[in-house]
Amino acid sequence: MDNAPFTLYGTTLAARLLLGTAQYSSPAVLAAAIKASGTEVVTVSLRREAGGNRAGESFWSLIRELGVKVLPNTAGCRSVKEAVTTAQMAREIFATSWVKLEVIADDDLLQPDVFGLVEAAAILSHDGFQVFPYTSEDLVVAERLIGAGCEVLMPWGAPIGSGRGLNNAFALQALRKRFPAVPLIVDAGIGTPAHAAAAMELGYDGVLLNTAVAKAGDPVAMARAFALAVEAGRVAYCAEPIPPRDMAEPSTPQLGRAFVELPRRA
């Protein structure tokens, strides 16, 4: 294992942190956070950027100036047809075949509709899209998505925007072990840099987050903190951490330790 750059659909990236662009207080704060994070990929919602006067045009100009790659998403889509149509529109607007595919099933937890997700992924892959599916950590769903043409999987850590971290680390680790050659990116639920580091220590290839940076008291400082955490987690994983033990293991050798005979009591 090493800490070399990784590849997503033929694109080599050095930074393993991907950043969302929603909820920032101003374009200036967004730009500063992107720079501080060192990210090379940002997600963009077609719904948000297409609406309202010339707001989308100014946003797109900002992204071009920053020189980052755009990953459009189908955020808010509740059906296969809606997700596919949104992806097709995004390809025309952003001139990219990349798409973060979201098909949402539940309004409270924003949980992926895994059945619709697989169906939409197959349609889009056949249409030439390079699909990044926002999915659960379920192994069977992962198999189906790979079979549908997905070369990258993006399982959630916890519900979107919840900040709960890795709700099911066991399942995420099982997913990593089952698909060692597939790029895996934890998407959603990350709240602190410690959560991001934990995901990377499981062997994940990257982390995608938005709310934890955009809604922080200091988004720019938080973006930098996440960049450091992702790097630290990856380096730690590659360094092969010691396995957990049930019993203590002394770090000082017992052999050769000083022996002192205490005086006997009268």
Side-chain angles (χ1 to χ4, degrees):
M1 295 179 291
D2 57 48
N3 195 30
F6 72 122
T7 301
L8 302 176
Y9 287 109
T11 297
T12 300
L13 302 170
R16 294 174 180 269
L17 175 62
L18 291 72
L19 202 62
T21 56
Q23 305 184 75
Y24 288 86
S25 59
S26 71
V29 172
L30 168 61
I34 290 175
K35 292 177 182 177
S37 73
T39 188
E40 297 168 87
V41 178
V42 297
T43 61
V44 177
S45 170
L46 175 66
R47 289 170 177 267
R48 182 168 62 88
E49 304 316 329
N53 299 323
R54 300 175 63 86
E57 182 180 331
S58 61
F59 173 85
W60 186 223
S61 296
L62 172 64
I63 295 301
R64 283 199 300 266
E65 290 173 6
L66 292 170
V68 290
K69 187 171 180 62
V70 170
L71 175 59
N73 66 38
T74 62
C77 292
R78 258 81 175 168
S79 70
V80 172
K81 182 177 181 180
E82 186 181 15
V84 169
T85 301
T86 301
Q88 291 169 337
M89 293 171 61
R91 180 165 60 180
E92 295 300 317
I93 292 173
F94 298 109
T96 179
S97 60
W98 279 20
V99 64
K100 178 188 170 186
L101 180 61
E102 296 184 27
V103 183
I104 302 301
D106 177 80
D107 289 336
D108 292 326
L109 298 180
L110 299 179
Q111 182 168 333
D113 173 358
V114 295
F115 305 103
L117 185 66
V118 171
E119 183 181 348
I123 293 170
L124 291 172
S125 295
H126 185 265
D127 192 27
F129 282 88
Q130 296 171 318
V131 181
F132 294 68
Y134 162 64
T135 182
S136 68
E137 66 277 71
D138 187 275
L139 293 175
V140 177
V141 174
E143 290 273 14
R144 298 290 190 273
L145 287 168
I146 292 171
C150 298
E151 297 180 13
V152 177
L153 299 177
M154 302 179 70
W156 66 347
I160 294 172
S162 68
R164 295 181 59 86
L166 309 182
N167 274 353
N168 195 341
F170 173 81
L172 290 170
Q173 190 170 38
L175 193 65
R176 174 73 286 173
K177 290 181 178 179
R178 177 69 65 87
F179 304 104
V182 176
L184 299 179
I185 299 171
V186 170
D187 175 21
I190 298 296
T192 68
H195 296 155
M200 299 303 292
E201 288 176 12
L202 292 178
Y204 275 68
D205 297 283
V207 171
L208 194 163
L209 54 90
N210 187 165
T211 307
V213 169
K215 303 302 287 184
D218 186 339
V220 179
M222 188 61 77
R224 177 59 178 155
F226 270 107
L228 294 171
V230 167
E231 181 180 358
R234 178 63 184 179
V235 172
Y237 173 71
C238 293
E240 300 183 4
I242 62 171
R245 294 170 53 91
D246 292 329
M247 302 294 290
E249 180 179 357
S251 57
T252 303
Q254 299 296 301
L255 185 64
R257 69 175 183 172
F259 176 77
V260 178
E261 183 177 359
L262 298 176
R264 295 181 180 179
R265 292 182 179 180

